[in-house]
Amino acid sequence: MQAGIDALCMWGGELFEMTNTEMQLAKDGFVPDRAALLNHFNAAVDKTFAEARLQKPQGTYMQIGGRAGKHTEHLGYMLSEMQVLARRHPQAVW
């Protein structure tokens, strides 16, 4: 369990990242301000990890930028794989 948490922790940063457009939408009351939820999230995670006797990784790099369209080259390979069916059968209805 701890190894899985350690390996996946870096992807949690994007949960609370907001683009400029999203920040404006939150300010106008159209979407929730995810960044404002970070403290509540951390408190819940800290409590759960303590009960499970797991360690929350410290000083871990948090991946951000995906919501703004900044991706690694790995995304291209995944998208290509996921689009195979739709490309082979363009008239398919889901």
Coordinates of all heavy atoms in Angstrom, one line a residue:
M1 N 0.8 -1.2 0.0 CA 0.0 0.0 0.0 C 0.9 1.3 0.0 O 0.6 2.2 -0.8 CB -0.9 0.0 1.2 CG -1.8 1.2 1.3 SD -3.1 1.3 0.0 CE -4.2 0.0 0.5
Q2 N 1.9 1.2 0.9 CA 2.8 2.4 0.9 C 3.5 2.7 -0.4 O 3.7 3.8 -0.8 CB 3.8 2.3 2.1 CG 4.6 3.5 2.3 CD 3.8 4.7 2.9 OE1 3.1 4.5 3.9 NE2 3.9 5.8 2.2
A3 N 4.0 1.6 -1.0 CA 4.7 1.7 -2.3 C 3.7 2.4 -3.3 O 4.2 3.2 -4.1 CB 5.2 0.4 -2.8
G4 N 2.5 2.0 -3.4 CA 1.5 2.5 -4.3 C 1.3 4.0 -4.0 O 1.3 4.8 -5.0
I5 N 1.2 4.4 -2.8 CA 1.0 5.8 -2.4 C 2.2 6.6 -2.8 O 2.1 7.7 -3.4 CB 0.7 5.9 -0.9 CG1 -0.6 5.3 -0.6 CG2 0.9 7.4 -0.4 CD1 -0.9 5.1 0.9
D6 N 3.4 6.1 -2.6 CA 4.6 6.8 -2.9 C 4.7 7.0 -4.4 O 5.2 8.0 -4.9 CB 5.8 6.0 -2.4 CG 5.9 5.9 -0.9 OD1 5.2 6.7 -0.2 OD2 6.7 5.1 -0.4
A7 N 4.3 6.0 -5.2 CA 4.4 6.0 -6.6 C 3.4 7.0 -7.3 O 3.7 7.6 -8.3 CB 4.3 4.6 -7.2
L8 N 2.2 7.1 -6.7 CA 1.2 7.9 -7.3 C 1.0 9.2 -6.7 O 0.2 10.1 -7.3 CB -0.2 7.1 -7.2 CG -0.2 5.8 -8.0 CD1 -1.4 5.0 -7.7 CD2 0.0 6.0 -9.4
C9 N 1.6 9.5 -5.6 CA 1.4 10.8 -4.9 C 1.6 12.0 -5.8 O 0.9 13.0 -5.7 CB 2.3 10.8 -3.7 SG 2.1 12.4 -2.8
M10 N 2.6 11.9 -6.7 CA 3.0 13.1 -7.5 C 1.8 13.6 -8.4 O 1.8 14.7 -8.8 CB 4.2 12.8 -8.3 CG 4.0 11.8 -9.4 SD 5.5 11.6 -10.4 CE 5.5 13.0 -11.5
W11 N 0.9 12.7 -8.7 CA -0.2 13.0 -9.6 C -1.3 13.8 -8.9 O -2.3 14.3 -9.5 CB -0.7 11.8 -10.3 CG 0.3 11.1 -11.0 CD1 1.0 9.9 -10.7 CD2 1.0 11.6 -12.2 NE1 1.9 9.6 -11.6 CE2 2.0 10.6 -12.5 CE3 0.8 12.7 -13.0 CZ2 2.8 10.7 -13.6 CZ3 1.7 12.8 -14.1 CH2 2.6 11.9 -14.4
G12 N -1.3 13.9 -7.6 CA -2.3 14.6 -6.8 C -2.3 16.1 -7.0 O -3.3 16.8 -6.7
G13 N -1.2 16.7 -7.4 CA -1.1 18.1 -7.5 C -2.1 18.7 -8.5 O -2.6 19.8 -8.3
E14 N -2.4 18.0 -9.5 CA -3.4 18.5 -10.5 C -4.8 18.5 -10.1 O -5.7 19.1 -10.7 CB -3.2 17.7 -11.8 CG -1.9 18.1 -12.5 CD -1.9 17.5 -13.9 OE1 -2.2 16.3 -14.2 OE2 -1.4 18.3 -14.8
L15 N -5.1 17.8 -9.0 CA -6.5 17.8 -8.5 C -6.9 19.2 -8.1 O -8.1 19.5 -8.2 CB -6.6 16.8 -7.3 CG -6.5 15.4 -7.5 CD1 -6.4 14.6 -6.2 CD2 -7.6 14.9 -8.4
F16 N -6.0 20.0 -7.6 CA -6.4 21.3 -7.1 C -5.9 22.5 -7.9 O -6.1 23.6 -7.6 CB -5.9 21.4 -5.7 CG -6.5 20.3 -4.8 CD1 -5.7 19.2 -4.5 CD2 -7.8 20.3 -4.4 CE1 -6.2 18.1 -3.8 CE2 -8.3 19.3 -3.6 CZ -7.5 18.2 -3.4
E17 N -5.2 22.1 -9.0 CA -4.7 23.2 -9.9 C -5.9 23.8 -10.7 O -6.8 23.0 -11.2 CB -3.7 22.6 -10.9 CG -3.1 23.5 -11.9 CD -2.2 22.8 -12.9 OE1 -2.4 21.6 -13.2 OE2 -1.4 23.5 -13.5
M18 N -5.9 25.1 -10.9 CA -6.9 25.7 -11.7 C -6.3 26.6 -12.7 O -5.4 27.3 -12.5 CB -7.8 26.5 -10.8 CG -8.6 25.6 -9.8 SD -9.8 26.5 -8.8 CE -11.0 27.1 -10.0
T19 N -6.9 26.6 -13.9 CA -6.4 27.5 -15.0 C -7.0 28.9 -14.7 O -7.9 29.0 -13.9 CB -6.9 27.0 -16.4 OG1 -8.4 27.1 -16.4 CG2 -6.5 25.6 -16.7
N20 N -6.5 29.8 -15.5 CA -7.0 31.2 -15.3 C -8.5 31.3 -15.6 O -9.3 31.9 -14.9 CB -6.3 32.2 -16.2 CG -4.9 32.4 -15.8 OD1 -4.5 32.2 -14.6 ND2 -4.0 32.8 -16.7
T21 N -9.0 30.5 -16.6 CA -10.4 30.5 -16.9 C -11.2 29.9 -15.8 O -12.3 30.4 -15.4 CB -10.6 29.7 -18.2 OG1 -9.9 30.3 -19.3 CG2 -12.1 29.6 -18.6
E22 N -10.7 28.8 -15.2 CA -11.4 28.2 -14.1 C -11.5 29.1 -12.9 O -12.5 29.1 -12.2 CB -10.8 26.8 -13.8 CG -11.0 25.8 -14.8 CD -10.2 24.5 -14.5 OE1 -9.0 24.6 -14.1 OE2 -10.7 23.4 -14.7
M23 N -10.4 29.8 -12.7 CA -10.4 30.8 -11.5 C -11.4 31.8 -11.7 O -12.1 32.2 -10.8 CB -9.0 31.4 -11.4 CG -8.0 30.4 -10.7 SD -6.4 31.2 -10.3 CE -5.6 31.1 -11.8
Q24 N -11.6 32.3 -12.9 CA -12.6 33.3 -13.2 C -14.0 32.7 -13.0 O -14.9 33.4 -12.5 CB -12.4 33.9 -14.6 CG -13.4 35.1 -14.9 CD -13.2 36.2 -13.9 OE1 -12.1 36.7 -13.7 NE2 -14.3 36.7 -13.3
L25 N -14.2 31.5 -13.5 CA -15.5 30.9 -13.4 C -15.8 30.6 -11.9 O -17.0 30.8 -11.5 CB -15.5 29.5 -14.2 CG -15.5 29.7 -15.7 CD1 -15.3 28.3 -16.3 CD2 -16.9 30.2 -16.1
A26 N -14.8 30.3 -11.1 CA -15.0 30.1 -9.7 C -15.4 31.4 -9.0 O -16.3 31.5 -8.2 CB -13.8 29.5 -9.0
K27 N -14.7 32.5 -9.4 CA -14.9 33.8 -8.9 C -16.4 34.2 -9.2 O -17.0 34.8 -8.3 CB -13.9 34.8 -9.4 CG -14.1 36.2 -8.9 CD -13.1 37.1 -9.6 CE -13.4 38.6 -9.2 NZ -12.6 39.5 -9.9
D28 N -16.9 33.9 -10.3 CA -18.2 34.2 -10.7 C -19.3 33.2 -10.2 O -20.5 33.4 -10.5 CB -18.3 34.3 -12.3 CG -17.5 35.4 -12.9 OD1 -17.1 36.4 -12.1 OD2 -17.2 35.4 -14.1
G29 N -18.8 32.2 -9.5 CA -19.7 31.3 -8.9 C -20.2 30.1 -9.8 O -21.2 29.4 -9.4
F30 N -19.6 29.9 -10.9 CA -20.1 28.9 -11.8 C -19.5 27.5 -11.6 O -20.1 26.5 -11.9 CB -19.8 29.3 -13.3 CG -20.6 30.4 -13.8 CD1 -20.0 31.7 -14.0 CD2 -22.0 30.3 -14.0 CE1 -20.8 32.7 -14.4 CE2 -22.7 31.3 -14.4 CZ -22.1 32.6 -14.6
V31 N -18.3 27.5 -11.0 CA -17.6 26.2 -10.7 C -17.0 26.3 -9.3 O -16.7 27.4 -8.8 CB -16.5 25.8 -11.7 CG1 -17.1 25.7 -13.1 CG2 -15.4 26.9 -11.7
P32 N -16.8 25.2 -8.6 CA -16.1 25.3 -7.3 C -14.6 25.6 -7.4 O -14.0 25.4 -8.4 CB -16.2 23.8 -6.8 CG -16.5 23.0 -8.0 CD -17.1 23.8 -9.0
D33 N -14.2 26.3 -6.4 CA -12.7 26.6 -6.3 C -12.0 25.5 -5.7 O -12.0 25.3 -4.5 CB -12.6 27.9 -5.5 CG -11.1 28.3 -5.4 OD1 -10.2 27.6 -5.9 OD2 -10.9 29.4 -4.8
R34 N -11.4 24.6 -6.6 CA -10.8 23.4 -6.2 C -9.6 23.7 -5.3 O -9.2 23.0 -4.4 CB -10.3 22.6 -7.4 CG -11.5 21.9 -8.1 CD -11.0 20.9 -9.1 NE -9.9 21.4 -10.0 CZ -10.2 22.1 -11.1 NH1 -11.4 22.4 -11.5 NH2 -9.2 22.5 -11.8
A35 N -8.9 24.8 -5.6 CA -7.7 25.2 -4.8 C -8.1 25.4 -3.3 O -7.3 25.1 -2.4 CB -7.0 26.4 -5.4
A36 N -9.3 25.9 -3.1 CA -9.8 26.2 -1.8 C -10.0 24.9 -1.0 O -10.2 24.9 0.2 CB -11.0 27.1 -1.8
L37 N -10.2 23.8 -1.7 CA -10.5 22.5 -1.0 C -9.2 21.8 -0.6 O -9.3 20.8 0.1 CB -11.2 21.6 -2.0 CG -12.6 22.1 -2.5 CD1 -13.1 21.2 -3.6 CD2 -13.5 22.3 -1.4
L38 N -8.0 22.3 -0.9 CA -6.8 21.6 -0.7 C -6.6 21.4 0.8 O -6.2 20.2 1.2 CB -5.6 22.4 -1.2 CG -4.2 21.8 -1.0 CD1 -4.1 20.4 -1.6 CD2 -3.1 22.6 -1.6
N39 N -6.8 22.3 1.7 CA -6.6 22.1 3.1 C -7.6 21.1 3.7 O -7.2 20.3 4.5 CB -6.8 23.5 3.9 CG -5.7 24.4 3.6 OD1 -4.6 24.0 3.3 ND2 -5.9 25.7 3.8
H40 N -8.8 21.0 3.2 CA -9.8 20.0 3.7 C -9.3 18.6 3.2 O -9.4 17.7 3.9 CB -11.2 20.3 3.1 CG -11.8 21.6 3.6 ND1 -12.2 21.8 4.9 CD2 -12.0 22.8 3.0 CE1 -12.6 23.0 5.0 NE2 -12.5 23.6 3.9
F41 N -8.9 18.6 2.0 CA -8.3 17.3 1.4 C -7.2 16.8 2.2 O -7.1 15.6 2.6 CB -7.9 17.5 0.0 CG -7.3 16.3 -0.7 CD1 -8.0 15.3 -1.2 CD2 -5.9 16.3 -0.7 CE1 -7.4 14.2 -1.7 CE2 -5.2 15.2 -1.3 CZ -6.0 14.1 -1.8
N42 N -6.2 17.7 2.5 CA -5.0 17.3 3.3 C -5.4 16.8 4.7 O -4.8 15.8 5.2 CB -4.0 18.4 3.3 CG -3.2 18.6 2.1 OD1 -3.0 17.6 1.4 ND2 -2.8 19.8 1.8
A43 N -6.4 17.5 5.3 CA -6.8 17.0 6.6 C -7.4 15.6 6.6 O -7.1 14.8 7.4 CB -7.8 18.1 7.2
A44 N -8.2 15.4 5.6 CA -8.9 14.1 5.5 C -7.8 13.0 5.2 O -7.9 11.9 5.7 CB -9.9 14.1 4.4
V45 N -6.9 13.3 4.3 CA -5.9 12.3 3.9 C -5.0 12.1 5.1 O -4.6 10.9 5.4 CB -5.0 12.8 2.7 CG1 -3.8 12.0 2.5 CG2 -5.9 12.8 1.4
D46 N -4.6 13.1 5.8 CA -3.7 12.9 7.0 C -4.4 12.0 8.0 O -3.8 11.1 8.6 CB -3.4 14.3 7.6 CG -2.4 15.1 6.8 OD1 -1.8 14.5 5.8 OD2 -2.3 16.3 7.0
K47 N -5.7 12.2 8.3 CA -6.4 11.4 9.2 C -6.5 10.0 8.8 O -6.3 9.1 9.6 CB -7.8 12.0 9.4 CG -8.7 11.2 10.4 CD -10.1 11.8 10.5 CE -10.9 11.0 11.5 NZ -12.3 11.0 11.3
T48 N -6.8 9.8 7.5 CA -7.0 8.4 7.0 C -5.6 7.7 7.0 O -5.5 6.5 7.4 CB -7.5 8.5 5.6 OG1 -8.8 9.1 5.6 CG2 -7.7 7.1 5.0
F49 N -4.6 8.4 6.6 CA -3.2 7.8 6.6 C -2.8 7.4 8.1 O -2.2 6.4 8.3 CB -2.2 8.7 6.0 CG -2.2 8.6 4.5 CD1 -3.3 8.2 3.7 CD2 -1.1 9.0 3.8 CE1 -3.3 8.2 2.4 CE2 -1.0 9.0 2.4 CZ -2.1 8.5 1.7
A50 N -3.1 8.3 9.0 CA -2.7 8.0 10.4 C -3.5 6.8 10.9 O -2.9 5.9 11.5 CB -3.1 9.2 11.3
E51 N -4.8 6.7 10.6 CA -5.5 5.5 11.0 C -5.0 4.2 10.4 O -5.0 3.1 11.0 CB -7.0 5.7 10.6 CG -7.7 6.7 11.5 CD -9.1 7.0 11.0 OE1 -9.6 6.3 10.1 OE2 -9.7 7.9 11.6
A52 N -4.6 4.3 9.1 CA -4.1 3.1 8.4 C -2.6 2.9 8.7 O -2.0 2.0 8.1 CB -4.3 3.3 6.9
R53 N -2.0 3.7 9.5 CA -0.5 3.7 9.8 C 0.3 3.7 8.5 O 1.3 3.0 8.3 CB -0.2 2.4 10.6 CG -0.8 2.5 12.0 CD -0.4 1.3 12.8 NE -0.9 0.1 12.2 CZ -1.7 -0.8 12.8 NH1 -2.0 -0.6 14.0 NH2 -2.0 -1.9 12.2
L54 N -0.1 4.6 7.6 CA 0.7 4.9 6.4 C 1.3 6.3 6.5 O 0.9 7.1 7.2 CB -0.3 4.8 5.2 CG -0.9 3.5 4.9 CD1 -2.0 3.6 3.9 CD2 0.2 2.5 4.4
Q55 N 2.4 6.4 5.7 CA 3.1 7.7 5.7 C 2.7 8.5 4.5 O 2.8 8.0 3.4 CB 4.6 7.5 5.7 CG 5.1 6.8 7.0 CD 4.9 7.6 8.2 OE1 5.2 8.8 8.2 NE2 4.4 7.0 9.2
K56 N 2.4 9.8 4.7 CA 2.2 10.7 3.5 C 3.5 11.1 3.0 O 4.3 11.6 3.8 CB 1.4 11.9 4.0 CG 0.9 12.8 2.9 CD 0.0 13.9 3.5 CE -0.4 14.8 2.4 NZ -1.2 15.9 3.0
P57 N 3.8 10.9 1.7 CA 5.1 11.3 1.2 C 5.4 12.8 1.4 O 4.5 13.6 1.2 CB 5.0 10.9 -0.3 CG 3.9 9.9 -0.3 CD 3.0 10.2 0.7
Q58 N 6.6 13.1 1.8 CA 7.0 14.5 2.1 C 8.0 14.9 1.0 O 8.8 14.2 0.6 CB 7.6 14.6 3.5 CG 6.7 14.2 4.6 CD 5.5 15.1 4.7 OE1 5.6 16.3 4.6 NE2 4.3 14.5 4.9
G59 N 7.9 16.2 0.6 CA 8.8 16.7 -0.3 C 8.7 16.1 -1.7 O 9.7 16.2 -2.5
T60 N 7.6 15.5 -2.1 CA 7.4 14.9 -3.4 C 7.1 15.9 -4.4 O 6.2 16.8 -4.2 CB 6.3 13.8 -3.3 OG1 6.6 12.9 -2.3 CG2 6.1 13.2 -4.6
Y61 N 7.7 15.8 -5.5 CA 7.4 16.7 -6.7 C 5.9 16.5 -7.0 O 5.5 15.3 -7.2 CB 8.3 16.4 -7.9 CG 7.8 17.1 -9.1 CD1 8.0 18.4 -9.4 CD2 7.1 16.4 -10.1 CE1 7.6 19.1 -10.5 CE2 6.7 16.9 -11.3 CZ 6.9 18.3 -11.5 OH 6.4 18.9 -12.6
M62 N 5.2 17.5 -7.2 CA 3.8 17.4 -7.6 C 3.6 17.8 -9.1 O 3.9 19.0 -9.4 CB 2.9 18.3 -6.7 CG 2.9 17.8 -5.3 SD 2.4 16.1 -5.1 CE 0.7 16.3 -4.7
Q63 N 3.2 16.9 -9.9 CA 3.0 17.2 -11.3 C 1.9 18.2 -11.5 O 0.8 18.0 -10.9 CB 2.7 15.9 -12.0 CG 2.4 16.0 -13.5 CD 3.7 16.4 -14.3 OE1 4.8 15.9 -14.0 NE2 3.6 17.2 -15.3
I64 N 2.1 19.2 -12.3 CA 1.0 20.2 -12.6 C 1.1 20.5 -14.1 O 2.1 20.2 -14.7 CB 1.1 21.4 -11.7 CG1 2.4 22.1 -11.9 CG2 0.8 21.1 -10.3 CD1 2.5 23.5 -11.2
G65 N 0.1 21.2 -14.6 CA 0.2 21.7 -16.0 C -0.7 21.0 -16.9 O -1.0 21.5 -18.0
G66 N -1.2 19.8 -16.6 CA -2.1 19.1 -17.5 C -3.4 19.8 -17.8 O -3.8 19.8 -19.0
R67 N -4.0 20.5 -16.9 CA -5.2 21.3 -17.2 C -4.9 22.4 -18.1 O -5.9 22.9 -18.8 CB -5.8 21.8 -15.9 CG -6.3 20.6 -15.0 CD -7.0 21.2 -13.7 NE -7.3 20.2 -12.8 CZ -8.5 19.5 -12.9 NH1 -9.3 19.7 -13.8 NH2 -8.7 18.5 -12.0
A68 N -3.7 22.9 -18.2 CA -3.4 24.0 -19.1 C -2.8 23.4 -20.4 O -2.3 24.2 -21.2 CB -2.3 24.9 -18.4
G69 N -2.9 22.1 -20.6 CA -2.4 21.5 -21.9 C -1.0 21.2 -21.9 O -0.4 20.8 -23.0
K70 N -0.3 21.2 -20.8 CA 1.1 20.8 -20.8 C 1.2 19.3 -20.4 O 0.9 19.0 -19.2 CB 1.9 21.7 -19.7 CG 1.8 23.1 -20.0 CD 2.4 24.0 -18.9 CE 2.2 25.4 -19.2 NZ 2.6 26.3 -18.1
H71 N 1.7 18.5 -21.3 CA 1.7 17.1 -21.1 C 3.1 16.6 -21.6 O 3.8 17.2 -22.4 CB 0.6 16.4 -21.9 CG -0.7 16.9 -21.7 ND1 -1.4 16.6 -20.5 CD2 -1.6 17.7 -22.4 CE1 -2.6 17.2 -20.5 NE2 -2.7 17.8 -21.7
T72 N 3.4 15.4 -21.0 CA 4.7 14.7 -21.5 C 4.4 14.0 -22.8 O 3.2 13.8 -23.2 CB 5.2 13.7 -20.4 OG1 4.2 12.7 -20.3 CG2 5.4 14.4 -19.1
E73 N 5.4 13.5 -23.4 CA 5.2 12.8 -24.7 C 4.5 11.5 -24.5 O 3.9 11.0 -25.4 CB 6.6 12.5 -25.3 CG 7.4 11.5 -24.5 CD 8.8 11.2 -25.1 OE1 9.7 11.9 -24.8 OE2 8.8 10.2 -25.9
H74 N 4.4 11.0 -23.2 CA 3.7 9.7 -23.0 C 2.2 9.9 -23.3 O 1.6 8.9 -23.6 CB 3.9 9.3 -21.5 CG 5.3 9.1 -21.2 ND1 6.1 10.1 -20.7 CD2 6.1 8.0 -21.3 CE1 7.3 9.6 -20.5 NE2 7.3 8.3 -20.8
L75 N 1.6 11.0 -23.1 CA 0.2 11.2 -23.4 C -0.1 10.9 -24.9 O -1.2 10.3 -25.2 CB -0.3 12.6 -23.1 CG -1.8 12.8 -23.3 CD1 -2.6 12.0 -22.4 CD2 -2.1 14.3 -23.1
G76 N 0.7 11.3 -25.8 CA 0.5 11.0 -27.2 C 0.4 9.5 -27.5 O -0.5 9.1 -28.2
Y77 N 1.2 8.7 -26.8 CA 1.1 7.2 -27.0 C -0.2 6.7 -26.5 O -0.8 5.8 -27.1 CB 2.3 6.5 -26.4 CG 3.6 6.9 -27.0 CD1 4.5 7.7 -26.3 CD2 3.9 6.5 -28.3 CE1 5.8 8.0 -26.8 CE2 5.2 6.9 -28.8 CZ 6.1 7.6 -28.1 OH 7.3 8.0 -28.6
M78 N -0.6 7.2 -25.3 CA -1.8 6.7 -24.7 C -3.0 7.1 -25.5 O -4.0 6.3 -25.7 CB -2.0 7.2 -23.3 CG -1.0 6.6 -22.3 SD -1.2 7.0 -20.6 CE -1.6 8.7 -20.5
L79 N -3.1 8.4 -26.0 CA -4.2 8.8 -26.8 C -4.3 8.1 -28.1 O -5.4 7.7 -28.5 CB -4.1 10.3 -27.1 CG -4.3 11.3 -25.9 CD1 -4.0 12.7 -26.3 CD2 -5.7 11.1 -25.4
S80 N -3.2 7.8 -28.7 CA -3.1 7.0 -29.9 C -3.8 5.6 -29.7 O -4.6 5.2 -30.5 CB -1.7 6.9 -30.4 OG -1.7 6.1 -31.6
E81 N -3.4 5.0 -28.6 CA -3.9 3.7 -28.3 C -5.4 3.7 -28.0 O -6.2 2.9 -28.5 CB -3.2 3.1 -27.1 CG -3.6 1.7 -26.7 CD -3.2 0.7 -27.7 OE1 -2.2 0.9 -28.4 OE2 -3.9 -0.4 -27.8
M82 N -5.9 4.8 -27.3 CA -7.3 4.9 -27.0 C -8.1 5.2 -28.2 O -9.3 5.0 -28.2 CB -7.5 5.9 -25.8 CG -6.9 5.4 -24.5 SD -7.2 6.5 -23.1 CE -6.6 8.0 -23.6
Q83 N -7.6 5.8 -29.2 CA -8.3 6.3 -30.3 C -8.4 5.2 -31.5 O -9.1 5.5 -32.5 CB -7.7 7.6 -30.9 CG -7.9 8.7 -29.9 CD -7.1 10.0 -30.3 OE1 -6.3 9.9 -31.2 NE2 -7.4 11.1 -29.7
V84 N -7.8 4.1 -31.3 CA -7.7 3.1 -32.3 C -9.2 2.7 -32.8 O -9.5 2.6 -33.9 CB -6.9 1.9 -31.9 CG1 -7.2 0.7 -32.8 CG2 -5.5 2.2 -31.8
L85 N -10.0 2.4 -31.8 CA -11.3 1.9 -32.1 C -12.1 2.9 -32.9 O -12.8 2.6 -33.9 CB -12.1 1.5 -30.8 CG -13.5 0.9 -31.0 CD1 -13.4 -0.4 -31.9 CD2 -14.1 0.7 -29.7
A86 N -12.1 4.2 -32.4 CA -12.9 5.2 -33.0 C -12.4 5.5 -34.5 O -13.2 5.8 -35.4 CB -12.8 6.5 -32.2
R87 N -11.1 5.4 -34.6 CA -10.5 5.6 -36.0 C -10.8 4.5 -37.0 O -11.0 4.7 -38.1 CB -9.0 5.9 -35.9 CG -8.7 7.2 -35.3 CD -7.3 7.5 -35.2 NE -7.0 8.9 -34.7 CZ -5.9 9.3 -34.2 NH1 -4.8 8.5 -34.2 NH2 -5.8 10.5 -33.7
R88 N -10.8 3.3 -36.5 CA -11.1 2.1 -37.3 C -12.6 2.0 -37.7 O -13.0 1.4 -38.7 CB -10.6 0.8 -36.7 CG -9.1 0.7 -36.7 CD -8.7 -0.7 -36.3 NE -7.3 -0.7 -36.3 CZ -6.6 -1.6 -35.5 NH1 -7.2 -2.5 -34.8 NH2 -5.2 -1.6 -35.6
H89 N -13.4 2.6 -36.8 CA -14.9 2.5 -37.0 C -15.5 3.8 -36.8 O -16.2 4.1 -35.8 CB -15.5 1.5 -36.0 CG -14.8 0.1 -36.1 ND1 -15.1 -0.8 -37.1 CD2 -13.9 -0.5 -35.3 CE1 -14.4 -1.9 -36.9 NE2 -13.7 -1.7 -35.8
P90 N -15.3 4.8 -37.7 CA -15.7 6.2 -37.5 C -17.2 6.3 -37.4 O -17.7 7.3 -36.9 CB -15.1 6.9 -38.7 CG -14.8 5.9 -39.7 CD -14.5 4.6 -38.9
Q91 N -18.0 5.3 -38.0 CA -19.5 5.4 -37.9 C -20.1 4.8 -36.7 O -21.3 4.7 -36.5 CB -20.0 4.8 -39.2 CG -19.5 5.4 -40.5 CD -19.8 6.9 -40.6 OE1 -20.9 7.3 -40.2 NE2 -18.8 7.6 -41.0
A92 N -19.2 4.2 -35.8 CA -19.7 3.5 -34.6 C -20.5 4.5 -33.7 O -20.2 5.7 -33.7 CB -18.6 2.9 -33.9
V93 N -21.5 4.0 -33.1 CA -22.3 4.8 -32.2 C -22.1 4.1 -30.8 O -22.3 2.9 -30.6 CB -23.8 4.7 -32.6 CG1 -24.6 5.5 -31.6 CG2 -24.0 5.3 -34.0
W94 N -21.8 5.0 -29.8 CA -21.6 4.4 -28.5 C -22.8 4.5 -27.6 O -23.6 5.3 -27.6 CB -20.5 5.3 -27.8 CG -19.3 5.5 -28.6 CD1 -18.9 6.7 -29.2 CD2 -18.4 4.6 -29.2 NE1 -17.8 6.5 -29.9 CE2 -17.4 5.2 -30.0 CE3 -18.2 3.2 -29.0 CZ2 -16.4 4.6 -30.6 CZ3 -17.2 2.6 -29.7 CH2 -16.3 3.3 -30.5

